[in-house]
């Protein structure tokens, strides 16, 4: 069998937002919604700070670091109302995502999702896009103790898949996620996303492989 850059990998662990689905513009609107409601300026770099966090961590950070006057339940409600329909009805897959997931499945390579999005958002989205059944397991930051600034979520996914980090690839668009996975010993695949273009150079520097499109990963299998 021909050796490739990806030879020896038994599992792929994918981020969702910005990596598999084109959802980051939606989150710009979601995170802005409570600030718009209360006519308060959203802090600079707020979205880039919170978009790797689990829901509860994001709520705590927001209420502690912004002047929003709402409580936790109201904040969650505002976000939920702004995001649910988009995930259930509108957000598309990124170029090459379905082909890559299908190709990995056909090769018997295990596939996990490691996401900061809650189950009530990503499950309907993946089912609508007809890729839900391609995954072997799902891990949300709500299932672990830390956001993606810590590799816990990737290590948990690898553990459940039954492979050590060195036999798993982590695909991420986030500079925070890429660094986390890299420090834990995973093979890192940086995926370009226009919403985080500001950090594309940093992601590339910390990736074992950097791609503009997931089609490039499929070509390397």
């Amino acid at each position: 069998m021909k050796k490739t850059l990806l030879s020896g990998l038994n599992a792929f662990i994918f981020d969702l937002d910005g990596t598999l689905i084109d959802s980051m513009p939606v989150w710009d609107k979601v995170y802005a919604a409570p600030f718009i409601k209360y006519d308060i300026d959203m802090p600079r770099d707020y979205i880039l700070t919170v978009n790797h966090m689990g829901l509860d961590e994001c709520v705590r950070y927001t209420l502690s670091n912004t002047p929003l006057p709402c409580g936790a339940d109201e904040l969650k409600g505002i976000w939920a109302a702004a995001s649910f329909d988009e995930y259930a009805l509108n957000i598309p897959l990124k170029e090459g995502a379905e082909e890559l997931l299908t190709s990995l499945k056909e090769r018997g390579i295990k596939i996990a999702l490691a996401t900061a999005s809650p189950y009530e958002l990503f499950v309907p989205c993946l089912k609508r896009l007809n890729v839900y059944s391609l995954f072997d397991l799902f891990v949300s930051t709500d299932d672990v103790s830390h956001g993606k600034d810590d590799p816990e979520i990737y290590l948990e996914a690898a553990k459940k898949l039954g492979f050590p980090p060195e036999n798993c690839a982590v695909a991420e668009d986030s500079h925070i996620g890429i660094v986390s996975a890299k420090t834990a010993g995973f093979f890192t695949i940086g995926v370009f996303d226009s919403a985080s273009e500001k950090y594309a150079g940093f992601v590339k520097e910390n990736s074992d492989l950097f791609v503009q499109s997931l089609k490039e990963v499929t070509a390397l299998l």
Side-chain angles (χ1 to χ4, degrees):
M1 182 179 292
K2 181 181 177 181
K3 292 281 186 178
T4 74
L5 180 64
L6 303 180
S7 295
L9 294 173
N10 302 113
F12 274 62
I13 300 168
F14 288 94
D15 168 56
L16 180 65
D17 298 285
T19 299
L20 289 177
I21 62 174
D22 192 14
S23 57
M24 297 314 293
V26 168
W27 280 103
D28 289 351
K29 298 176 184 177
V30 171
Y31 285 129
F35 295 96
I36 292 171
K37 177 177 180 178
Y38 286 103
D39 195 24
I40 293 172
D41 290 337
M42 186 167 63
R44 183 181 178 185
D45 288 340
Y46 168 77
I47 293 174
L48 288 172
T49 301
V50 300
N51 67 11
H52 67 283
M53 296 178 180
L55 179 60
D56 290 336
E57 183 182 5
C58 187
V59 168
R60 288 193 297 271
Y61 176 87
T62 301
L63 296 182
S64 297
N65 294 276
T66 75
L68 287 173
C70 54
D73 288 342
E74 182 184 356
L75 183 58
K76 289 180 182 180
I78 294 170
W79 285 339
S83 59
F84 184 81
D85 284 350
E86 289 292 333
Y87 273 76
L89 303 173
N90 298 322
I91 294 173
L93 284 167
K94 291 187 72 173
E95 179 186 57
E98 183 175 5
E99 293 83 353
L100 175 55
L101 293 171
T102 300
S103 185
L104 291 171
K105 195 72 173 180
E106 290 173 347
R107 287 168 166 77
I109 297 173
K110 296 296 184 180
I111 306 171
L113 189 75
T115 177
S117 290
Y119 285 84
E120 57 265 28
L121 288 186
F122 75 75
V123 170
C125 181
L126 294 178
K127 287 184 176 180
R128 170 178 59 82
L129 294 168
N130 296 315
V131 295
Y132 179 84
S133 63
L134 298 175
F135 290 87
D136 294 285
L137 63 90
F138 306 92
V139 185
S140 167
T141 47
D142 292 334
D143 299 323
V144 293
S145 302
H146 302 91
K148 289 190 172 181
D149 54 340
D150 185 285
E152 181 185 15
I153 188 171
Y154 310 114
L155 292 168
E156 180 69 11
K159 178 182 177 181
K160 288 184 175 181
L161 289 171
F163 297 105
E166 57 266 27
N167 293 124
C168 302
V170 169
E172 271 276 3
D173 69 300
S174 160
H175 63 295
I176 292 172
I178 279 289
V179 170
S180 241
K182 183 79 170 174
T183 59
F186 290 92
F187 182 92
T188 51
I189 301 174
V191 181
F192 176 79
D193 188 70
S194 58
S196 54
E197 185 172 4
K198 175 181 178 181
Y199 293 100
F202 186 86
V203 172
K204 185 174 183 178
E205 289 175 8
N206 288 277
S207 300
D208 296 301
L209 171 66
F210 182 78
V211 297
Q212 296 287 325
S213 166
L214 293 173
K215 294 170 66 175
E216 298 171 50
V217 183
T218 304
L220 291 170
L221 293 177

